Amino acid sequence: MSRISNRQTTWHLINIKARRNQTTEHYVEVFNELYNQDPLVEFPRGGKSGSLKYLRNGNQLDRNNNPCWIEIGLLSYTIIDPDAFYNRRSQEDVSMDNWNEDIVANKKESDLYFIPSSHTIAVKCNSSITLKNIVFYLSEALNKVAPETFDVDVIIERDILDKIVKAHAVTHIYANISYSNPGHTHGFEAAFDKKLREMGAGRVEFTAAGSKDNPLNNEKDGMLQSIVNLSEQNGYVKATIQATENGNLEQIDSSEHPRKLVIPQIIDNICSTIYNTIRSIVH
């Protein structure tokens, strides 16, 4: 009999995409190697660094004996400079002789749950480490283990992308995207996605400008909609839109609208609940 806890949790989702060898086995292998190498990543702001505390392969296996999930403990901390201490009372610089360089300060921890078959990571919205720093760490660390191989993108809230797609007029759009995993697109979007993949670029930037009187062509299954749809799991877009015929122009930055996945209850345990939920929504 299943154990049910009516404890609602809210999660951000991160898409992990290997540019080559997009198999569950490869994702499992690289994440375990990430733990073995444990590269130190310096975050771009705040003077902090990140590394792993633990990595645990789940005990539930798929038909190929790959773990259905991987639990990851990520740390953020400040590396101490033993020559940068100061006594504010005596107003003197202090040098800490024989300082243990493995001792760090201001530690924060976040638990990540990786679903290899869906190449998706779930992290709580109230994570102690910011979403931006988590994405930065994963991108830097994975590409240290396997250079120029991985794209890491926050999955965007669909409603904000639909606001662009359904707008009365789009006058400007900028996109920073990569191609999707195979089989995730249809129609012109699939053809466009295939050309991006064949081009061999890691990331692609697009800029298109129109005007209020001559907006961009926003036809169904056209270029603009394809770019917006690809950005949901593979990048972000910035757009200037006129939502209604008589409305004012407004700016949208999709990176400010990460998807929030609400899980209303925990069934058996958090790992299996996240696994079953993500498998039902991410293909």
PDB file of all heavy atoms in Angstrom, residues 13-44:
ATOM      1  N   LEU A  13      12.283  23.287 -13.240  1.00  0.00           N
ATOM      2  CA  LEU A  13      12.798  22.195 -14.056  1.00  0.00           C
ATOM      3  C   LEU A  13      13.927  22.704 -14.954  1.00  0.00           C
ATOM      4  O   LEU A  13      13.828  23.789 -15.533  1.00  0.00           O
ATOM      5  CB  LEU A  13      11.684  21.591 -14.915  1.00  0.00           C
ATOM      6  CG  LEU A  13      10.476  21.030 -14.149  1.00  0.00           C
ATOM      7  CD1 LEU A  13       9.424  20.513 -15.129  1.00  0.00           C
ATOM      8  CD2 LEU A  13      10.900  19.936 -13.192  1.00  0.00           C
ATOM      9  N   ILE A  14      14.977  21.899 -15.057  1.00  0.00           N
ATOM     10  CA  ILE A  14      16.151  22.254 -15.859  1.00  0.00           C
ATOM     11  C   ILE A  14      16.367  21.168 -16.899  1.00  0.00           C
ATOM     12  O   ILE A  14      16.424  19.978 -16.564  1.00  0.00           O
ATOM     13  CB  ILE A  14      17.403  22.390 -14.970  1.00  0.00           C
ATOM     14  CG1 ILE A  14      17.176  23.468 -13.902  1.00  0.00           C
ATOM     15  CG2 ILE A  14      18.625  22.720 -15.814  1.00  0.00           C
ATOM     16  CD1 ILE A  14      18.259  23.499 -12.828  1.00  0.00           C
ATOM     17  N   ASN A  15      16.468  21.588 -18.160  1.00  0.00           N
ATOM     18  CA  ASN A  15      16.706  20.645 -19.253  1.00  0.00           C
ATOM     19  C   ASN A  15      18.211  20.459 -19.447  1.00  0.00           C
ATOM     20  O   ASN A  15      18.952  21.421 -19.655  1.00  0.00           O
ATOM     21  CB  ASN A  15      16.067  21.175 -20.542  1.00  0.00           C
ATOM     22  CG  ASN A  15      16.230  20.209 -21.697  1.00  0.00           C
ATOM     23  OD1 ASN A  15      16.176  18.999 -21.527  1.00  0.00           O
ATOM     24  ND2 ASN A  15      16.433  20.738 -22.895  1.00  0.00           N
ATOM     25  N   ILE A  16      18.662  19.210 -19.365  1.00  0.00           N
ATOM     26  CA  ILE A  16      20.056  18.862 -19.611  1.00  0.00           C
ATOM     27  C   ILE A  16      20.119  18.163 -20.964  1.00  0.00           C
ATOM     28  O   ILE A  16      19.476  17.137 -21.153  1.00  0.00           O
ATOM     29  CB  ILE A  16      20.608  17.910 -18.528  1.00  0.00           C
ATOM     30  CG1 ILE A  16      20.369  18.474 -17.122  1.00  0.00           C
ATOM     31  CG2 ILE A  16      22.079  17.619 -18.778  1.00  0.00           C
ATOM     32  CD1 ILE A  16      21.160  19.688 -16.793  1.00  0.00           C
ATOM     33  N   LYS A  17      20.869  18.727 -21.909  1.00  0.00           N
ATOM     34  CA  LYS A  17      20.892  18.133 -23.246  1.00  0.00           C
ATOM     35  C   LYS A  17      22.318  17.876 -23.705  1.00  0.00           C
ATOM     36  O   LYS A  17      23.135  18.796 -23.788  1.00  0.00           O
ATOM     37  CB  LYS A  17      20.196  19.043 -24.258  1.00  0.00           C
ATOM     38  CG  LYS A  17      20.030  18.390 -25.639  1.00  0.00           C
ATOM     39  CD  LYS A  17      19.574  19.404 -26.658  1.00  0.00           C
ATOM     40  CE  LYS A  17      20.691  20.378 -26.961  1.00  0.00           C
ATOM     41  NZ  LYS A  17      20.225  21.631 -27.516  1.00  0.00           N
ATOM     42  N   ALA A  18      22.601  16.615 -23.990  1.00  0.00           N
ATOM     43  CA  ALA A  18      23.877  16.265 -24.613  1.00  0.00           C
ATOM     44  C   ALA A  18      23.758  16.515 -26.109  1.00  0.00           C
ATOM     45  O   ALA A  18      22.772  16.120 -26.736  1.00  0.00           O
ATOM     46  CB  ALA A  18      24.216  14.806 -24.346  1.00  0.00           C
ATOM     47  N   ARG A  19      24.727  17.175 -26.683  1.00  0.00           N
ATOM     48  CA  ARG A  19      24.675  17.453 -28.121  1.00  0.00           C
ATOM     49  C   ARG A  19      24.938  16.205 -28.952  1.00  0.00           C
ATOM     50  O   ARG A  19      24.542  16.137 -30.115  1.00  0.00           O
ATOM     51  CB  ARG A  19      25.702  18.540 -28.474  1.00  0.00           C
ATOM     52  CG  ARG A  19      25.398  19.879 -27.831  1.00  0.00           C
ATOM     53  CD  ARG A  19      26.490  20.895 -28.091  1.00  0.00           C
ATOM     54  NE  ARG A  19      26.249  22.106 -27.316  1.00  0.00           N
ATOM     55  CZ  ARG A  19      27.143  23.080 -27.185  1.00  0.00           C
ATOM     56  NH1 ARG A  19      28.330  22.974 -27.769  1.00  0.00           N
ATOM     57  NH2 ARG A  19      26.858  24.145 -26.463  1.00  0.00           N
ATOM     58  N   ARG A  20      25.583  15.235 -28.331  1.00  0.00           N
ATOM     59  CA  ARG A  20      25.837  13.951 -28.985  1.00  0.00           C
ATOM     60  C   ARG A  20      25.535  12.831 -27.995  1.00  0.00           C
ATOM     61  O   ARG A  20      25.609  13.032 -26.793  1.00  0.00           O
ATOM     62  CB  ARG A  20      27.312  13.859 -29.439  1.00  0.00           C
ATOM     63  CG  ARG A  20      27.702  14.929 -30.458  1.00  0.00           C
ATOM     64  CD  ARG A  20      29.192  14.900 -30.748  1.00  0.00           C
ATOM     65  NE  ARG A  20      29.975  15.331 -29.612  1.00  0.00           N
ATOM     66  CZ  ARG A  20      30.189  16.618 -29.309  1.00  0.00           C
ATOM     67  NH1 ARG A  20      29.675  17.587 -30.045  1.00  0.00           N
ATOM     68  NH2 ARG A  20      30.930  16.944 -28.252  1.00  0.00           N
ATOM     69  N   ASN A  21      25.190  11.662 -28.537  1.00  0.00           N
ATOM     70  CA  ASN A  21      24.946  10.486 -27.695  1.00  0.00           C
ATOM     71  C   ASN A  21      23.867  10.768 -26.639  1.00  0.00           C
ATOM     72  O   ASN A  21      24.112  10.714 -25.428  1.00  0.00           O
ATOM     73  CB  ASN A  21      26.241  10.030 -27.020  1.00  0.00           C
ATOM     74  CG  ASN A  21      26.112   8.638 -26.422  1.00  0.00           C
ATOM     75  OD1 ASN A  21      25.115   7.941 -26.636  1.00  0.00           O
ATOM     76  ND2 ASN A  21      27.107   8.236 -25.650  1.00  0.00           N
ATOM     77  N   GLN A  22      22.678  11.066 -27.124  1.00  0.00           N
ATOM     78  CA  GLN A  22      21.578  11.430 -26.228  1.00  0.00           C
ATOM     79  C   GLN A  22      20.851  10.179 -25.730  1.00  0.00           C
ATOM     80  O   GLN A  22      19.684   9.951 -26.033  1.00  0.00           O
ATOM     81  CB  GLN A  22      20.616  12.386 -26.947  1.00  0.00           C
ATOM     82  CG  GLN A  22      21.283  13.694 -27.328  1.00  0.00           C
ATOM     83  CD  GLN A  22      20.408  14.570 -28.216  1.00  0.00           C
ATOM     84  OE1 GLN A  22      19.593  14.077 -28.991  1.00  0.00           O
ATOM     85  NE2 GLN A  22      20.571  15.866 -28.106  1.00  0.00           N
ATOM     86  N   THR A  23      21.565   9.390 -24.941  1.00  0.00           N
ATOM     87  CA  THR A  23      20.985   8.170 -24.395  1.00  0.00           C
ATOM     88  C   THR A  23      20.972   8.242 -22.881  1.00  0.00           C
ATOM     89  O   THR A  23      21.770   8.960 -22.259  1.00  0.00           O
ATOM     90  CB  THR A  23      21.795   6.925 -24.819  1.00  0.00           C
ATOM     91  OG1 THR A  23      23.116   7.016 -24.257  1.00  0.00           O
ATOM     92  CG2 THR A  23      21.889   6.823 -26.336  1.00  0.00           C
ATOM     93  N   THR A  24      20.069   7.480 -22.270  1.00  0.00           N
ATOM     94  CA  THR A  24      19.998   7.434 -20.811  1.00  0.00           C
ATOM     95  C   THR A  24      21.329   6.977 -20.229  1.00  0.00           C
ATOM     96  O   THR A  24      21.816   7.532 -19.236  1.00  0.00           O
ATOM     97  CB  THR A  24      18.870   6.483 -20.372  1.00  0.00           C
ATOM     98  OG1 THR A  24      17.620   6.967 -20.879  1.00  0.00           O
ATOM     99  CG2 THR A  24      18.797   6.386 -18.858  1.00  0.00           C
ATOM    100  N   GLU A  25      21.939   5.960 -20.862  1.00  0.00           N
ATOM    101  CA  GLU A  25      23.208   5.429 -20.375  1.00  0.00           C
ATOM    102  C   GLU A  25      24.290   6.520 -20.332  1.00  0.00           C
ATOM    103  O   GLU A  25      25.072   6.598 -19.378  1.00  0.00           O
ATOM    104  CB  GLU A  25      23.691   4.271 -21.257  1.00  0.00           C
ATOM    105  CG  GLU A  25      22.869   3.003 -21.157  1.00  0.00           C
ATOM    106  CD  GLU A  25      21.597   3.042 -22.012  1.00  0.00           C
ATOM    107  OE1 GLU A  25      21.383   4.060 -22.724  1.00  0.00           O
ATOM    108  OE2 GLU A  25      20.820   2.075 -21.952  1.00  0.00           O
ATOM    109  N   HIS A  26      24.300   7.352 -21.378  1.00  0.00           N
ATOM    110  CA  HIS A  26      25.310   8.414 -21.441  1.00  0.00           C
ATOM    111  C   HIS A  26      25.109   9.431 -20.330  1.00  0.00           C
ATOM    112  O   HIS A  26      26.075   9.863 -19.677  1.00  0.00           O
ATOM    113  CB  HIS A  26      25.248   9.098 -22.805  1.00  0.00           C
ATOM    114  CG  HIS A  26      26.308  10.138 -22.992  1.00  0.00           C
ATOM    115  ND1 HIS A  26      26.023  11.402 -23.466  1.00  0.00           N
ATOM    116  CD2 HIS A  26      27.640  10.114 -22.763  1.00  0.00           C
ATOM    117  CE1 HIS A  26      27.135  12.110 -23.523  1.00  0.00           C
ATOM    118  NE2 HIS A  26      28.129  11.358 -23.110  1.00  0.00           N
ATOM    119  N   TYR A  27      23.856   9.829 -20.098  1.00  0.00           N
ATOM    120  CA  TYR A  27      23.577  10.792 -19.036  1.00  0.00           C
ATOM    121  C   TYR A  27      23.996  10.237 -17.678  1.00  0.00           C
ATOM    122  O   TYR A  27      24.614  10.948 -16.868  1.00  0.00           O
ATOM    123  CB  TYR A  27      22.094  11.165 -19.022  1.00  0.00           C
ATOM    124  CG  TYR A  27      21.676  12.068 -20.161  1.00  0.00           C
ATOM    125  CD1 TYR A  27      20.776  11.639 -21.124  1.00  0.00           C
ATOM    126  CD2 TYR A  27      22.189  13.363 -20.282  1.00  0.00           C
ATOM    127  CE1 TYR A  27      20.388  12.464 -22.179  1.00  0.00           C
ATOM    128  CE2 TYR A  27      21.813  14.196 -21.323  1.00  0.00           C
ATOM    129  CZ  TYR A  27      20.914  13.741 -22.269  1.00  0.00           C
ATOM    130  OH  TYR A  27      20.539  14.554 -23.306  1.00  0.00           O
ATOM    131  N   VAL A  28      23.686   8.972 -17.420  1.00  0.00           N
ATOM    132  CA  VAL A  28      24.061   8.353 -16.146  1.00  0.00           C
ATOM    133  C   VAL A  28      25.585   8.312 -16.005  1.00  0.00           C
ATOM    134  O   VAL A  28      26.144   8.653 -14.950  1.00  0.00           O
ATOM    135  CB  VAL A  28      23.468   6.930 -16.038  1.00  0.00           C
ATOM    136  CG1 VAL A  28      24.025   6.206 -14.812  1.00  0.00           C
ATOM    137  CG2 VAL A  28      21.949   6.987 -15.976  1.00  0.00           C
ATOM    138  N   GLU A  29      26.254   7.916 -17.070  1.00  0.00           N
ATOM    139  CA  GLU A  29      27.715   7.812 -17.047  1.00  0.00           C
ATOM    140  C   GLU A  29      28.368   9.166 -16.774  1.00  0.00           C
ATOM    141  O   GLU A  29      29.287   9.275 -15.947  1.00  0.00           O
ATOM    142  CB  GLU A  29      28.202   7.260 -18.385  1.00  0.00           C
ATOM    143  CG  GLU A  29      29.706   7.163 -18.518  1.00  0.00           C
ATOM    144  CD  GLU A  29      30.144   6.723 -19.907  1.00  0.00           C
ATOM    145  OE1 GLU A  29      29.347   6.075 -20.618  1.00  0.00           O
ATOM    146  OE2 GLU A  29      31.287   7.026 -20.287  1.00  0.00           O
ATOM    147  N   VAL A  30      27.889  10.219 -17.453  1.00  0.00           N
ATOM    148  CA  VAL A  30      28.509  11.540 -17.306  1.00  0.00           C
ATOM    149  C   VAL A  30      28.255  12.103 -15.908  1.00  0.00           C
ATOM    150  O   VAL A  30      29.163  12.691 -15.299  1.00  0.00           O
ATOM    151  CB  VAL A  30      27.984  12.505 -18.386  1.00  0.00           C
ATOM    152  CG1 VAL A  30      28.431  13.937 -18.093  1.00  0.00           C
ATOM    153  CG2 VAL A  30      28.498  12.089 -19.760  1.00  0.00           C
ATOM    154  N   PHE A  31      27.063  11.922 -15.362  1.00  0.00           N
ATOM    155  CA  PHE A  31      26.794  12.462 -14.028  1.00  0.00           C
ATOM    156  C   PHE A  31      27.600  11.742 -12.958  1.00  0.00           C
ATOM    157  O   PHE A  31      28.063  12.370 -11.991  1.00  0.00           O
ATOM    158  CB  PHE A  31      25.293  12.419 -13.723  1.00  0.00           C
ATOM    159  CG  PHE A  31      24.589  13.685 -14.103  1.00  0.00           C
ATOM    160  CD1 PHE A  31      24.208  13.907 -15.412  1.00  0.00           C
ATOM    161  CD2 PHE A  31      24.353  14.682 -13.178  1.00  0.00           C
ATOM    162  CE1 PHE A  31      23.578  15.089 -15.781  1.00  0.00           C
ATOM    163  CE2 PHE A  31      23.729  15.863 -13.524  1.00  0.00           C
ATOM    164  CZ  PHE A  31      23.335  16.071 -14.847  1.00  0.00           C
ATOM    165  N   ASN A  32      27.807  10.449 -13.116  1.00  0.00           N
ATOM    166  CA  ASN A  32      28.653   9.742 -12.158  1.00  0.00           C
ATOM    167  C   ASN A  32      30.109  10.176 -12.293  1.00  0.00           C
ATOM    168  O   ASN A  32      30.833  10.287 -11.296  1.00  0.00           O
ATOM    169  CB  ASN A  32      28.511   8.232 -12.341  1.00  0.00           C
ATOM    170  CG  ASN A  32      27.275   7.686 -11.646  1.00  0.00           C
ATOM    171  OD1 ASN A  32      27.297   7.373 -10.466  1.00  0.00           O
ATOM    172  ND2 ASN A  32      26.172   7.569 -12.382  1.00  0.00           N
ATOM    173  N   GLU A  33      30.542  10.441 -13.519  1.00  0.00           N
ATOM    174  CA  GLU A  33      31.897  10.945 -13.719  1.00  0.00           C
ATOM    175  C   GLU A  33      32.027  12.367 -13.168  1.00  0.00           C
ATOM    176  O   GLU A  33      33.095  12.757 -12.670  1.00  0.00           O
ATOM    177  CB  GLU A  33      32.260  10.918 -15.202  1.00  0.00           C
ATOM    178  CG  GLU A  33      33.692  11.310 -15.517  1.00  0.00           C
ATOM    179  CD  GLU A  33      34.732  10.430 -14.836  1.00  0.00           C
ATOM    180  OE1 GLU A  33      34.425   9.251 -14.531  1.00  0.00           O
ATOM    181  OE2 GLU A  33      35.846  10.925 -14.603  1.00  0.00           O
ATOM    182  N   LEU A  34      30.946  13.140 -13.234  1.00  0.00           N
ATOM    183  CA  LEU A  34      30.943  14.484 -12.651  1.00  0.00           C
ATOM    184  C   LEU A  34      31.236  14.405 -11.159  1.00  0.00           C
ATOM    185  O   LEU A  34      32.026  15.188 -10.622  1.00  0.00           O
ATOM    186  CB  LEU A  34      29.587  15.148 -12.893  1.00  0.00           C
ATOM    187  CG  LEU A  34      29.343  16.501 -12.215  1.00  0.00           C
ATOM    188  CD1 LEU A  34      30.312  17.548 -12.740  1.00  0.00           C
ATOM    189  CD2 LEU A  34      27.904  16.961 -12.443  1.00  0.00           C
ATOM    190  N   TYR A  35      30.626  13.441 -10.487  1.00  0.00           N
ATOM    191  CA  TYR A  35      30.876  13.276  -9.051  1.00  0.00           C
ATOM    192  C   TYR A  35      32.304  12.814  -8.798  1.00  0.00           C
ATOM    193  O   TYR A  35      32.957  13.264  -7.850  1.00  0.00           O
ATOM    194  CB  TYR A  35      29.884  12.275  -8.457  1.00  0.00           C
ATOM    195  CG  TYR A  35      30.080  12.056  -6.977  1.00  0.00           C
ATOM    196  CD1 TYR A  35      29.827  13.083  -6.068  1.00  0.00           C
ATOM    197  CD2 TYR A  35      30.528  10.833  -6.492  1.00  0.00           C
ATOM    198  CE1 TYR A  35      30.017  12.889  -4.708  1.00  0.00           C
ATOM    199  CE2 TYR A  35      30.718  10.638  -5.140  1.00  0.00           C
ATOM    200  CZ  TYR A  35      30.457  11.667  -4.251  1.00  0.00           C
ATOM    201  OH  TYR A  35      30.653  11.475  -2.903  1.00  0.00           O
ATOM    202  N   ASN A  36      32.812  11.918  -9.646  1.00  0.00           N
ATOM    203  CA  ASN A  36      34.179  11.420  -9.475  1.00  0.00           C
ATOM    204  C   ASN A  36      35.209  12.542  -9.632  1.00  0.00           C
ATOM    205  O   ASN A  36      36.176  12.633  -8.874  1.00  0.00           O
ATOM    206  CB  ASN A  36      34.472  10.308 -10.476  1.00  0.00           C
ATOM    207  CG  ASN A  36      33.688   9.043 -10.191  1.00  0.00           C
ATOM    208  OD1 ASN A  36      33.300   8.790  -9.052  1.00  0.00           O
ATOM    209  ND2 ASN A  36      33.442   8.247 -11.221  1.00  0.00           N
ATOM    210  N   GLN A  37      34.990  13.399 -10.629  1.00  0.00           N
ATOM    211  CA  GLN A  37      35.948  14.490 -10.861  1.00  0.00           C
ATOM    212  C   GLN A  37      35.684  15.679  -9.940  1.00  0.00           C
ATOM    213  O   GLN A  37      36.616  16.386  -9.555  1.00  0.00           O
ATOM    214  CB  GLN A  37      35.872  14.935 -12.329  1.00  0.00           C
ATOM    215  CG  GLN A  37      36.348  13.896 -13.324  1.00  0.00           C
ATOM    216  CD  GLN A  37      36.457  14.462 -14.735  1.00  0.00           C
ATOM    217  OE1 GLN A  37      36.580  15.670 -14.940  1.00  0.00           O
ATOM    218  NE2 GLN A  37      36.418  13.579 -15.732  1.00  0.00           N
ATOM    219  N   ASP A  38      34.416  15.936  -9.644  1.00  0.00           N
ATOM    220  CA  ASP A  38      33.993  17.019  -8.752  1.00  0.00           C
ATOM    221  C   ASP A  38      34.718  18.331  -9.026  1.00  0.00           C
ATOM    222  O   ASP A  38      35.428  18.863  -8.159  1.00  0.00           O
ATOM    223  CB  ASP A  38      34.188  16.608  -7.297  1.00  0.00           C
ATOM    224  CG  ASP A  38      33.456  17.535  -6.323  1.00  0.00           C
ATOM    225  OD1 ASP A  38      32.534  18.260  -6.767  1.00  0.00           O
ATOM    226  OD2 ASP A  38      33.807  17.539  -5.131  1.00  0.00           O
ATOM    227  N   PRO A  39      34.565  18.878 -10.233  1.00  0.00           N
ATOM    228  CA  PRO A  39      35.262  20.136 -10.540  1.00  0.00           C
ATOM    229  C   PRO A  39      34.727  21.292  -9.694  1.00  0.00           C
ATOM    230  O   PRO A  39      33.537  21.369  -9.394  1.00  0.00           O
ATOM    231  CB  PRO A  39      34.940  20.348 -12.027  1.00  0.00           C
ATOM    232  CG  PRO A  39      33.648  19.609 -12.249  1.00  0.00           C
ATOM    233  CD  PRO A  39      33.717  18.412 -11.353  1.00  0.00           C
ATOM    234  N   LEU A  40      35.619  22.165  -9.297  1.00  0.00           N
ATOM    235  CA  LEU A  40      35.243  23.366  -8.556  1.00  0.00           C
ATOM    236  C   LEU A  40      34.810  24.432  -9.556  1.00  0.00           C
ATOM    237  O   LEU A  40      35.522  24.722 -10.505  1.00  0.00           O
ATOM    238  CB  LEU A  40      36.418  23.870  -7.727  1.00  0.00           C
ATOM    239  CG  LEU A  40      36.153  25.099  -6.850  1.00  0.00           C
ATOM    240  CD1 LEU A  40      35.217  24.756  -5.710  1.00  0.00           C
ATOM    241  CD2 LEU A  40      37.479  25.647  -6.314  1.00  0.00           C
ATOM    242  N   VAL A  41      33.633  25.010  -9.340  1.00  0.00           N
ATOM    243  CA  VAL A  41      33.108  26.034 -10.248  1.00  0.00           C
ATOM    244  C   VAL A  41      32.947  27.340  -9.475  1.00  0.00           C
ATOM    245  O   VAL A  41      32.279  27.375  -8.425  1.00  0.00           O
ATOM    246  CB  VAL A  41      31.757  25.607 -10.848  1.00  0.00           C
ATOM    247  CG1 VAL A  41      31.132  26.757 -11.655  1.00  0.00           C
ATOM    248  CG2 VAL A  41      31.935  24.374 -11.730  1.00  0.00           C
ATOM    249  N   GLU A  42      33.548  28.398  -9.962  1.00  0.00           N
ATOM    250  CA  GLU A  42      33.419  29.717  -9.336  1.00  0.00           C
ATOM    251  C   GLU A  42      32.215  30.431  -9.930  1.00  0.00           C
ATOM    252  O   GLU A  42      32.134  30.635 -11.151  1.00  0.00           O
ATOM    253  CB  GLU A  42      34.691  30.530  -9.564  1.00  0.00           C
ATOM    254  CG  GLU A  42      34.692  31.875  -8.857  1.00  0.00           C
ATOM    255  CD  GLU A  42      35.994  32.626  -9.026  1.00  0.00           C
ATOM    256  OE1 GLU A  42      37.005  31.984  -9.387  1.00  0.00           O
ATOM    257  OE2 GLU A  42      35.996  33.854  -8.812  1.00  0.00           O
ATOM    258  N   PHE A  43      31.272  30.809  -9.088  1.00  0.00           N
ATOM    259  CA  PHE A  43      30.069  31.488  -9.566  1.00  0.00           C
ATOM    260  C   PHE A  43      30.417  32.904 -10.018  1.00  0.00           C
ATOM    261  O   PHE A  43      31.360  33.521  -9.504  1.00  0.00           O
ATOM    262  CB  PHE A  43      29.002  31.525  -8.472  1.00  0.00           C
ATOM    263  CG  PHE A  43      28.480  30.156  -8.102  1.00  0.00           C
ATOM    264  CD1 PHE A  43      28.411  29.745  -6.788  1.00  0.00           C
ATOM    265  CD2 PHE A  43      28.056  29.279  -9.089  1.00  0.00           C
ATOM    266  CE1 PHE A  43      27.927  28.496  -6.457  1.00  0.00           C
ATOM    267  CE2 PHE A  43      27.568  28.024  -8.768  1.00  0.00           C
ATOM    268  CZ  PHE A  43      27.503  27.627  -7.443  1.00  0.00           C
ATOM    269  N   PRO A  44      29.646  33.432 -10.978  1.00  0.00           N
ATOM    270  CA  PRO A  44      30.017  34.734 -11.568  1.00  0.00           C
ATOM    271  C   PRO A  44      29.865  35.917 -10.621  1.00  0.00           C
ATOM    272  O   PRO A  44      30.491  36.946 -10.808  1.00  0.00           O
ATOM    273  CB  PRO A  44      29.073  34.859 -12.775  1.00  0.00           C
ATOM    274  CG  PRO A  44      27.933  33.933 -12.480  1.00  0.00           C
ATOM    275  CD  PRO A  44      28.499  32.819 -11.673  1.00  0.00           C
TER     276      PRO A  44
END
